[in-house]
Amino acid sequence: MSSTTAAVPQQAGVSEVELLIGGMTCASCAARVEKKLNRMDGVSATVNYATEKARITYPAGIEVADLIATVVKTGYTAEEPAPPREEAQAPEEDPELTALRRRLQVSVLLALPVVLLAMVPALQFDNWQWLSLTLAAPVVVWGALPFHRAAWTNLRHGAATMDTLVSVGTLAAFGWSLWALFLGDAGMPGMRHPFELTVSRTDGASTIYLEVAAGVTAFILLGRYLEARSKRRAGAALRALMELGAKDVAVLRDGREVRIPAERLAVGDRFVVRPGEKIATDGTVVEGSSAVDASMLTGESVPVDVTVGDSVTGATVNAGGRLVVEATRVGADTQLARMARLVEEAQNGKAEVQRLADRIAGVFVPVVLLIAAGTFGLWLGSTDDTVAAFTAAVAVLIIACPCALGLATPTALMVGTGRGAQLGILIKGPEVLESTRRIDTIVLDKTGTVTTGRMTLQDVYAAEGTDESEVLRLAGALEHASEHPVARAIAAGAEERLGALPPTEQFENVPGRGVRGRVDGHEVTVGRLHEELPPELARLREKAERDGRTAVVVAWDGAARGVLAVADAVKETSAEAVRELRGLGLTPVLLTGDNRTVAEAVARAVGIDEVIAEVLPEDKVAAVRRLQAEGRTVAMVGDGVNDAAALATADLGLAMGTGTDAAIEAGDLTLVRGDLRVAADAIRLSRRTLATIKGNLVWAFGYNVAALPLAAAGLLNPMIAGAAMAFSSVFVVTNSLRLRTFH
């Protein structure tokens, strides 16, 4: 899941790098690394515990090696990500996960008899305590070694983290047990040990805590393992996205096909894509026609027909005939690479709520150590019972781990953005999620968003006694020679309905009137004829214009014979999308530079009541601001260069991925396919992700707030505390993983 980002220039004298950070075990570790990096002059760093990455911007004069050295001095490891080819060959199983699983298995196997012997007095035979010591010692020394090692490293740097709490708690319990066994009465044959869920008064010299030391270690290792595995699953969508691309490609060299690795493709290269093969990179079809399955990239299940001149996207699958494609974008410029980059940037970001959680985690551990010391002192002073005081203090240390706090936002964000990428929705960052909750109005650009953005033939009307097919055949043949968008729509419509068209002779443009020429011996004219039309055709032309369509008259041999209605067709899914947006509590507004008649006809077709029409591109921003001035929180959906400024001005910008780079760059959410229904999905997914983050944080904060007083009051056995602490982290990650089922 490593990024391929190396140090890249951002602006004059400022560069950015992404580092992989090793050795972090909780949110307070991430907070420490971030704090140390941000203390360097001119450095701005964000460290994410869930992705184990630091995104750092740094000025000239500082090297990446200096940044790595700072991280190492803080007690952690740092390195630049591996190049993409190395990543592709990365092992399926993470070696760290394998080692952690082995440590967990051994610890559980040894700790289970120790816990059972302590909890079930009936199992306690003579000298059972020495068997418990034999089994518990490897768990506390070897099983908990990662915690002890991290605690020692942190101590050397004058810091305390969650590992400090676990290490101090387990070693204290183990140390007390050794003292009671060797110097007290606990080692005597026939010793029996009752198990209680709360703190009770007992004789300290005959009390052992081996089940606490071994059980807590096993529980926390289980929590760590489940957490690590879940984090890996949470990032699976991004890894899958980055591995979608073709590995090799058949390039045409001097008329021959030569197989080369896909990363060696250059812009302008022509390559062959056979049926069933992945398209190696973004390009334009120069030969052949086929259907392309883009489902893995856009979530769109229906293959799209492509032919010469059409654009295709890398990593999509050729489902039909043989294609020859000319590469237009390669490497980091392809749509797949940009998608992966957007998703990763979103996962590395931090929402405002997470920054608060990080600040709390940074000071939490020292505060807990003070609470544990205070608990010990208060119990000792009020009861004069060292055992009870010690038990309560250990329970405080173990229950208080802020792990769940650090995982609450990043895991939900990883799963939510990863699931979005699978569905063709790219969320730019965590702050976008906050915006989706507040919006109440959604402005829809008409052309290319609600409509297809292409003129198409809608209706053919013929005068009495004239055949509709004849009207279309002669008009289509004549318009085939013209480059005007309306003419192209008529010619394409005629070819689609009738097949091959007759040739045209003596073609000419008539300014202000249309075109004329000779077809099949007839003098044909197509355009906006100003002569009197027969009443029937005049009525049909008026009806077409009332419906917001462009009406052209077809005449031949001196008489008007028919009317053709052409329009920018409304997408089939737009009306359903508007209904879904209304269902989310949003008021849709249609925004267009087109004339009001056309705009209102489109609005009627899709169920929009509010229309802002005849707006110049530069006035779109003013239209959005006007709505905001009315107290509305505005989302905007658009796809063109002229929408970019309005997308940036809106409280939430949704860019259609079928549109221009400028629009995509300006948007907060990118909808990879040009279906407006995805806008509703994007808002729903963003809101669900935000709700999951908030639920996680409420659980994590609530757990610590409730658990600490219980532990300090002596109402929790330390081993139960360890199990509860491990469960809190697992709960948060599992809750986040529910987002994978979003549809």
Side-chain angles (χ1 to χ4, degrees):
M1 203 179 128
S2 306
S3 164
T4 54
T5 313
V8 288
Q10 297 293 299
Q11 55 193 44
V14 179
S15 302
E16 186 176 281
V17 71
E18 191 175 78
L19 297 178
L20 303 179
I21 309 293
M24 293 194 298
T25 53
C26 65
S28 49
C29 296
R32 278 189 58 226
V33 176
E34 192 172 291
K35 194 170 168 187
K36 282 283 167 72
L37 285 167
N38 283 324
R39 278 185 185 159
M40 298 173 74
D41 285 342
V43 171
S44 173
T46 301
V47 179
N48 189 316
Y49 167 50
T51 58
E52 297 177 337
K53 289 179 184 172
R55 185 173 288 275
I56 309 163
T57 54
Y58 58 97
I62 289 181
E63 301 291 327
V64 174
D66 300 330
L67 301 170
I68 291 173
T70 299
V71 176
V72 171
K73 269 189 225 150
T74 314
Y76 304 90
T77 64
E79 60 180 5
E80 290 190 72
R85 251 173 295 179
E86 285 179 38
E87 278 175 37
Q89 294 160 6
E92 194 61 37
E93 177 77 317
D94 183 348
E96 282 184 32
L97 202 60
T98 307
L100 185 55
R101 184 170 62 231
R102 193 177 301 117
R103 195 179 293 272
L104 168 66
Q105 288 166 340
V106 173
S107 297
V108 168
L109 205 63
L110 295 174
L112 192 60
V114 178
V115 173
L116 285 173
L117 284 169
M119 289 180 72
V120 186
L123 298 176
Q124 294 171 2
F125 52 87
D126 284 352
N127 296 314
W128 67 273
Q129 66 272 45
W130 295 104
L131 174 64
S132 289
L133 176 64
T134 308
L135 295 171
V139 178
V140 176
V141 176
W142 175 79
L145 187 60
F147 310 129
H148 304 323
R149 195 186 288 132
W152 173 245
T153 303
N154 290 320
L155 182 64
R156 287 200 344 258
H157 291 91
T161 65
M162 167 234 165
D163 293 298
T164 311
L165 302 180
V166 176
S167 180
V168 169
T170 53
L171 288 177
F174 189 66
W176 182 289
S177 303
L178 290 178
W179 172 79
L181 284 166
F182 288 101
L183 301 175
D185 304 329
M188 302 286 288
M191 189 275 275
R192 297 292 181 266
H193 195 303
F195 180 82
E196 298 191 12
L197 295 176
T198 57
V199 171
S200 62
R201 286 169 170 272
T202 52
D203 174 19
S206 61
T207 305
I208 57 173
Y209 288 99
L210 292 171
E211 80 283 2
V212 170
V216 165
T217 300
F219 276 129
I220 293 174
L221 281 172
L222 175 64
R224 280 278 173 92
Y225 174 70
L226 293 173
E227 181 187 305
R229 203 178 66 166
S230 299
K231 275 160 63 176
R232 188 172 168 79
R233 282 169 67 200
L238 179 59
R239 279 197 304 280
L241 189 66
M242 295 171 107
E243 288 163 12
L244 270 180
K247 301 294 179 274
D248 56 12
V249 57
V251 182
L252 291 175
R253 298 268 194 259
D254 303 321
R256 289 186 310 110
E257 290 183 27
V258 180
R259 207 117 200 130
I260 63 167
E263 62 263 23
R264 280 174 44 199
L265 266 179
V267 173
D269 279 349
R270 292 191 171 193
F271 58 93
V272 176
V273 191
R274 289 186 175 77
E277 284 187 338
K278 283 183 181 177
I279 296 169
T281 194
D282 298 359
T284 306
V285 177
V286 292
E287 193 183 303
S289 60
S290 180
V292 171
D293 177 4
S295 57
M296 72 287 291
L297 207 61
T298 66
E300 176 59 76
S301 56
V302 181
V304 179
D305 291 327
V306 295
T307 187
V308 174
D310 288 337
S311 296
V312 288
T313 307
T316 55
V317 176
N318 178 12
R322 178 182 182 273
L323 294 175
V324 177
V325 178
E326 184 173 306
T328 54
R329 283 177 171 164
V330 295
D333 295 330
T334 62
Q335 186 173 343
L336 177 66
R338 286 160 66 209
M339 278 176 70
R341 202 157 54 241
L342 279 169
V343 174
E344 186 145 30
E345 281 169 9
Q347 292 185 353
N348 277 327
K350 288 190 182 181
E352 205 47 53
V353 283
Q354 179 63 23
R355 293 187 188 282
L356 173 64
D358 283 355
R359 283 199 294 275
I360 290 169
V363 297
F364 194 76
V365 175
V367 168
V368 168
L369 288 170
L370 287 173
I371 292 172
T375 300
F376 183 80
L378 281 169
W379 271 84
L380 196 60
S382 60
T383 65
D384 204 25
D385 185 341
T386 314
V387 176
F390 174 79
T391 308
V394 169
V396 167
L397 287 173
I398 289 165
I399 196 82
C401 161
C403 247
L405 210 55
L407 290 166
T409 299
T411 51
L413 202 56
M414 283 168 76
V415 183
T417 52
R419 181 64 184 139
Q422 290 174 332
L423 298 172
I425 300 161
L426 304 182
I427 301 168
K428 274 205 180 163
E431 58 287 339
V432 171
L433 304 177
E434 292 281 1
S435 305
T436 59
R437 185 174 53 87
R438 294 193 304 268
I439 56 168
D440 52 36
T441 301
I442 188 157
V443 175
L444 308 173
D445 173 58
K446 179 182 79 72
T447 309
T449 302
V450 176
T451 64
T452 60
R454 292 187 315 276
M455 298 300 273
T456 52
L457 179 66
Q458 301 291 308
D459 292 303
V460 180
Y461 304 112
E464 202 172 331
T466 308
D467 183 39
E468 280 184 12
S469 297
E470 186 68 0
V471 170
L472 187 55
R473 192 174 74 88
L474 296 178
L478 183 63
E479 293 284 43
H480 203 275
S482 172
E483 287 299 308
H484 192 280
V486 171
R488 285 208 298 271
I490 292 169
E495 279 183 319
E496 195 179 303
R497 297 182 196 188
L498 304 173
L501 299 171
T504 299
E505 299 165 355
Q506 300 167 14
F507 174 84
E508 65 173 311
N509 271 305
V510 183
R513 289 177 66 82
V515 293
R516 67 182 174 208
R518 193 167 184 79
V519 182
D520 277 358
H522 298 289
E523 293 292 335
V524 183
T525 308
V526 180
R528 300 185 67 78
L529 302 185
H530 300 295
E531 292 88 355
E532 278 298 312
L533 289 179
E536 186 190 357
L537 285 184
R539 186 175 53 76
L540 289 169
R541 181 167 74 174
E542 281 169 26
K543 178 185 179 299
E545 288 176 345
R546 239 188 353 264
D547 290 343
R549 293 170 180 176
T550 300
V552 295
V553 178
V554 183
W556 65 83
D557 299 338
R561 315 281 180 141
V563 172
L564 303 177
V566 175
D568 177 6
V570 173
K571 291 178 182 175
E572 289 176 13
T573 56
S574 291
E576 187 186 336
V578 168
R579 281 196 301 276
E580 288 184 17
L581 291 167
R582 282 189 187 280
L584 289 168
L586 307 178
T587 304
V589 177
L590 190 69
L591 178 67
T592 180
D594 219 331
N595 70 64
R596 182 158 287 280
T597 307
V598 171
E600 286 177 347
V602 170
R604 271 197 307 277
V606 298
I608 295 176
D609 303 323
E610 200 171 337
V611 177
I612 303 171
E614 298 170 12
V615 176
L616 295 171
E618 56 270 26
D619 293 336
K620 286 188 175 181
V621 171
V624 169
R625 285 200 175 127
R626 200 160 54 247
L627 290 168
Q628 288 170 326
E630 292 171 12
R632 304 201 209 182
T633 307
V634 180
M636 160 100 187
V637 187
D639 73 331
V641 173
N642 59 354
D643 298 323
L647 286 169
T649 304
D651 299 286
L652 179 72
L654 294 92
M656 296 296 240
T658 48
T660 62
D661 289 353
I664 291 168
E665 201 59 42
D668 300 306
L669 287 157
T670 300
L671 317 175
V672 176
R673 67 180 195 261
D675 184 339
L676 192 56
R677 288 176 303 181
V678 184
D681 290 340
I683 291 166
R684 212 169 20 242
L685 173 62
S686 299
R687 286 179 176 179
R688 178 85 64 84
T689 306
L690 183 66
T692 303
I693 288 173
K694 293 198 164 172
N696 284 350
L697 284 168
V698 165
W699 166 263
F701 275 116
Y703 163 83
N704 281 119
V705 167
L708 272 173
L710 288 174
L715 297 174
L716 285 177
N717 177 290
M719 194 178 66
I720 304 299
M725 188 279 288
F727 171 74
S728 73
S729 294
V730 174
F731 173 86
V732 161
V733 178
T734 308
N735 189 43
S736 297
L737 285 171
R738 290 189 312 128
L739 286 167
R740 296 170 79 196
T741 61
F742 176 87
H743 292 291

